[in-house]
């Protein structure tokens, strides 16, 4: 029974990631360019900034995750991921990775810098685009505790 649930969760997680990838692939060519990635990151920031104050808090990230937004997970439970529950970074930990001024919030500028850095690190074949496998590998690497 547990194996069936784990497999079902992994499939659901893969479907959510595939839908997220497809939503960022604006021209449908099967890869995400730097401009498509930047546009997707900007849209994500705008959606997370529920109070429209120009910053995103851990509470806003968690609230968005609770609403079922593709690609975001509340707290430390990687809904649908094939890893162990509790292995994914919390929203506060994700913010801390990019929070240049240490205020505990993520500004639009900090998010943009982080998105550009993530794209560069994720483009392992240096072709200027992200494939689905590059994006999945980068996400798995970045979201796990060290």
């Amino acid at each position: 029974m547990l194996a069936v649930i784990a497999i079902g969760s992994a499939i659901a997680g893969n479907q959510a990631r595939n839908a997220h990838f497809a939503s960022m692939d604006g021209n449908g060519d099967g890869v995400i360019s730097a401009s498509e990635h930047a546009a997707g990151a900007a849209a994500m920031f705008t959606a997370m900034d529920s109070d429209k104050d120009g910053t995103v808090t851990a509470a806003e990230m968690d609230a968005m995750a609770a609403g079922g937004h593709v690609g975001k997970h509340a707290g430390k439970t990687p809904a649908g991921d094939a890893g162990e529950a509790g292995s994914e970074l919390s929203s506060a930990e994700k913010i801390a990775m990019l929070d240049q001024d240490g205020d505990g919030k993520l500004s639009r500028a900090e998010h943009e810098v982080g998105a550009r850095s993530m794209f560069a690190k994720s483009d392992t074949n240096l072709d200027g685009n992200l494939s689905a496998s590059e994006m999945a590998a980068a996400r798995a690497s970045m979201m796990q505790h060290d």
Side-chain angles (χ1 to χ4, degrees), residues 67-123:
H69 180 69
V70 173
K72 292 290 172 190
H73 308 294
K76 291 186 175 207
T77 13
D81 280 341
E84 293 181 25
S87 65
E88 187 171 305
L89 296 174
S90 70
S91 295
E93 290 167 322
K94 291 174 190 175
I95 287 173
M97 291 172 64
L98 303 176
D99 184 13
Q100 296 173 344
D101 63 8
D103 66 356
K105 300 181 277 186
L106 193 57
S107 70
R108 184 173 297 277
E110 290 168 331
H111 189 259
E112 288 172 0
V113 167
R116 282 193 303 273
S117 174
M118 180 181 160
F119 184 91
K121 289 176 186 175
S122 302
D123 183 16

Side-chain angles (χ1 to χ4, degrees), residues 4-136:
V4 171
I5 292 170
I7 291 169
S9 292
I11 291 169
N14 286 336
Q15 289 172 337
R17 281 187 293 282
N18 289 342
H20 179 67
F21 184 89
S23 73
M24 290 183 75
D25 182 11
N27 63 4
D29 65 356
V31 294
I32 297 173
S33 68
S35 62
E36 288 172 328
H37 188 266
M44 182 172 287
F45 183 90
T46 298
M48 285 188 296
D49 185 14
S50 60
D51 63 5
K52 305 303 178 207
D53 69 349
T55 63
V56 171
T57 64
E60 286 175 312
M61 277 189 181
D62 289 341
M64 185 169 193
H69 180 69
V70 173
K72 292 290 172 190
H73 308 294
K76 291 186 175 207
T77 13
D81 280 341
E84 293 181 25
S87 65
E88 187 171 305
L89 296 174
S90 70
S91 295
E93 290 167 322
K94 291 174 190 175
I95 287 173
M97 291 172 64
L98 303 176
D99 184 13
Q100 296 173 344
D101 63 8
D103 66 356
K105 300 181 277 186
L106 193 57
S107 70
R108 184 173 297 277
E110 290 168 331
H111 189 259
E112 288 172 0
V113 167
R116 282 193 303 273
S117 174
M118 180 181 160
F119 184 91
K121 289 176 186 175
S122 302
D123 183 16
T124 55
N125 67 1
L126 304 176
D127 69 351
N129 295 299
L130 296 182
S131 66
S133 62
E134 283 176 318
M135 198 163 165

